Amino acid sequence: AQTTQLGGKLRAGGDVEVPAGETVQGDLYAAGGTVRIEGTVDGDLVAWGGQVQVLGEVTGDVIAGSGNVDISGQVGGDARVGAGQVTVGGSVGEDLVVGSGQLSLTSGGEVGEDLIFGTGQMTLDGRVDGDVLGSTGRYTKRGTVGGTENVNIREREEEAEPTFGDRLLDVLQRFVSVLAIAALL
């Protein structure tokens, strides 16, 4: 069950929902297993939980910390997201800043200004009107970037097979450690 406090400004529970047709005047702070915005938040949304879904409209900024974030609706301001997986299929009017394992800007996704990210995997199929700046393990781009694009792709470091010398040194270190502990005892 959803509980509300501060005149509806703070909502918490297993499922927190702003249903279609409802408008929250001012900022909304929401915490729950699932936070689902189908209506309108006329202000900022600060949300945390297992899953955050913005299917309706947030006229201000979105700040979300979650396992999964889905922005299929409209965000008028900035979106700042920290999540395991982020999918943007709607529009973000200003900057989109993401730290996640996986970020997907789908073909219907739009960012009005800059995209800044640090991810394990990034897929850009939509449109970014400003600059793109980020660091990722894998980058796939089929969409458009209106400004500059500066993406650092981190290569996975392959662990080399230890040499005979490495193994011998490891055995000697363990032997000396055992001797030191024995001497102390």
Side-chain angles (χ1 to χ4, degrees):
Q2 174 176 288
T3 61
T4 61
Q5 295 180 11
L6 303 174
K9 186 176 187 176
L10 174 65
R11 298 183 186 192
D15 293 316
V16 175
E17 184 175 11
V18 175
E22 181 182 344
T23 298
V24 176
Q25 295 295 331
D27 299 339
L28 175 62
Y29 302 92
T34 299
V35 175
R36 186 177 178 92
I37 309 299
E38 293 179 341
T40 302
V41 176
D42 193 10
D44 297 337
L45 171 66
V46 177
W48 56 97
Q51 186 171 22
V52 174
Q53 300 172 326
V54 178
L55 308 172
E57 179 180 6
V58 176
T59 62
D61 295 341
V62 169
I63 299 173
S66 176
N68 293 306
V69 173
D70 176 11
I71 300 175
S72 297
Q74 182 176 347
V75 176
D78 299 317
R80 298 173 191 98
V81 180
Q85 183 172 346
V86 178
T87 303
V88 179
S91 66
V92 176
E94 296 178 1
D95 295 336
L96 174 60
V97 180
V98 176
S100 73
Q102 183 176 355
L103 169 60
S104 297
L105 183 64
T106 68
S107 60
E110 301 175 2
V111 178
E113 292 182 6
D114 300 327
L115 169 61
I116 302 162
F117 64 90
T119 64
Q121 180 179 333
M122 167 62 189
T123 303
L124 195 158
D125 289 330
R127 186 182 87 223
V128 178
D129 292 340
D131 299 333
V132 172
L133 173 65
S135 182
T136 187
R138 190 170 86 183
Y139 183 58
T140 304
K141 178 190 164 204
R142 293 179 287 261
T144 60
V145 176
T148 62
E149 187 175 8
N150 183 0
V151 178
N152 177 28
I153 300 172
R154 299 180 310 271
E155 297 294 325
R156 286 182 54 177
E157 294 181 19
E158 298 292 328
E159 289 196 27
E161 183 69 28
T163 65
F164 176 75
D166 292 334
R167 290 181 182 159
L168 182 61
L169 182 59
D170 185 51
V171 168
L172 286 173
Q173 287 174 336
R174 289 175 191 229
F175 181 70
V176 169
S177 297
V178 169
L179 285 178
I181 291 172
L184 288 172
L185 291 174

